[in-house]
Structure formats: structure tokens, C-alpha cells
Amino acid sequence: MYWLAELWLSAAGLCDTAHREPLQDERLMLVLGLFAAHAARRAIESHYVTVFSEQARMHVISYIVGITFYLATPWTFYMASLMARKEGSSAAAGPLELALHALVMCGFWVGSVQQFRSHRALAELRSASGSDAPRAIGSFFMAKEKAAKSGQYFLPRGGWFDSVSCPHYLAELIIYASFLLAYLTSPLVW
């Protein structure tokens, strides 16, 4: 992915890739890999878990903003890595960096699992009645159409819903905070 970014930036005159070794930044590779996993999980969730009503419509500008966000975010990670390298920030995997990478992966995992659980719980609330709400992920494939036609909503209970009104958004913040944490040792972040 970043070879394409370097090619584009080189063509735009923003970096010179001809006289230096390729960018080798463990932080960048970690964050890009986790972001790709996040985007893939969200796409799968949107298709298989989320239950949309038949009346639900999304404005074209919202689509454009969403697509732009998912295309621009990897570029911001890449540019942060280029700027850190230009400033002389080391991306060597020392003990602090390795501990930070482990913390990033743990934060990402916690946020991703919680966001999936929250979206699954919200999808279960859309079923025709509280008693026949699907309880396992496999049942989403069969119950999704039935739930979309009912159009009913129920208040979520359990898990983080008991403490936070929107745990799926809190989980999203945890995921992106873990991405920021990967660049904690870079002076450019602060």
C-alpha cells in the first residue's frame, strides 16, 4: 500500500524516493494492518449484522464523506510516518516500542470486540419481539430480513450499555486512540 503512496508523493514532488531506501516503519505497518482489519470488519458488519429498516435512506454526501474518510485515513498515517522520519524520529523496535505495539494491539482488540458486540446487540433489538431475538451470530443471516420488516426498537441492556449510552461509539474512540498510541513516541504527535 505504501509503495503506491510513495509513488504518488514522489510524482507530486513531495518526497524523493529515488535516492533512499524504502520506508520501513513498524508503526506504519502495524497501524495500516489494523486499520485494514477494522475497515474489513465494519464492511462485514454492515452487510451481515446491521439491520436497516426499509425506510432508511442515506444521503449521497454521507456516502462521499464516509468513503473519503476510509480512503484518507491511511494517508494521514503514512504522512505522519514520513514526517517523523524527516524529523529524525526513530522507528526502531526497542523495548518501549514493542510494549507500545502490544498496547496498541490490545486497545484495538478491546475496541473491535466491544464494537462488534454493541452492533450485534443493537441488531438483536430490531427483531419482531424481544423473545425471538437472535442470540448467535449465525442467526443474523436468517433473522436479518424479518427484523428489518418489523421496524421496532427496544432499549439495549447489558454489557457496556449499562454504563454508556453509545458503547459502539466509545469502542470506535478506543480503536482510534490505539492508532494514536502507536505514534506516542513521535514528537510530531504532540
Side-chain angles (χ1 to χ4, degrees):
M1 157 85 186
Y2 68 75
W3 66 269
L4 183 62
E6 281 196 15
L7 180 67
W8 183 83
L9 291 171
S10 178
L14 298 174
C15 75
D16 179 23
T17 59
H19 298 96
R20 67 177 177 85
E21 68 277 2
L23 178 63
Q24 304 222 343
D25 188 346
E26 292 87 11
R27 292 177 296 199
L28 177 63
M29 299 316 304
L30 173 68
V31 172
L32 286 179
L34 293 177
F35 185 77
H38 171 67
R41 181 187 55 81
R42 290 293 294 128
I44 291 168
E45 269 180 10
S46 293
H47 191 269
Y48 292 111
V49 176
T50 305
V51 179
F52 301 101
S53 71
E54 291 179 6
Q55 297 85 17
R57 299 290 178 259
M58 188 173 190
H59 198 278
V60 69
I61 293 177
S62 297
Y63 278 117
I64 292 169
V65 168
I67 290 169
T68 302
F69 171 78
Y70 277 101
L71 291 175
T73 300
W75 286 96
T76 61
F77 297 142
Y78 182 77
M79 294 305 290
S81 290
L82 280 179
M83 292 175 67
R85 184 177 177 142
K86 185 177 180 180
E87 294 293 322
S89 174
S90 173
L96 177 63
E97 286 289 326
L98 291 176
L100 210 51
H101 291 177
L103 193 57
V104 165
M105 289 187 285
C106 287
F108 176 80
W109 182 81
V110 167
S112 294
V113 167
Q114 183 55 44
Q115 190 174 51
F116 175 78
R117 286 180 179 166
S118 298
H119 287 151
R120 185 177 66 183
L122 290 169
E124 287 176 353
L125 295 175
R126 295 290 307 271
S127 71
S129 69
S131 62
D132 67 352
R135 296 290 175 218
I137 186 169
S139 60
F140 281 114
F141 299 106
M142 295 179 289
K144 186 175 177 180
E145 185 177 325
K146 177 182 173 186
K149 290 181 180 176
S150 73
Q152 296 178 343
Y153 288 93
F154 303 95
L155 291 176
R157 299 274 185 238
W160 285 11
F161 283 105
D162 292 341
S163 304
V164 182
S165 62
C166 298
H168 51 298
Y169 292 130
L170 176 60
E172 187 91 9
L173 289 172
I174 292 170
I175 290 168
Y176 285 99
S178 70
F179 294 156
L180 176 65
L181 191 60
Y183 289 95
L184 186 65
T185 58
S186 173
L188 293 170
V189 172
W190 307 107

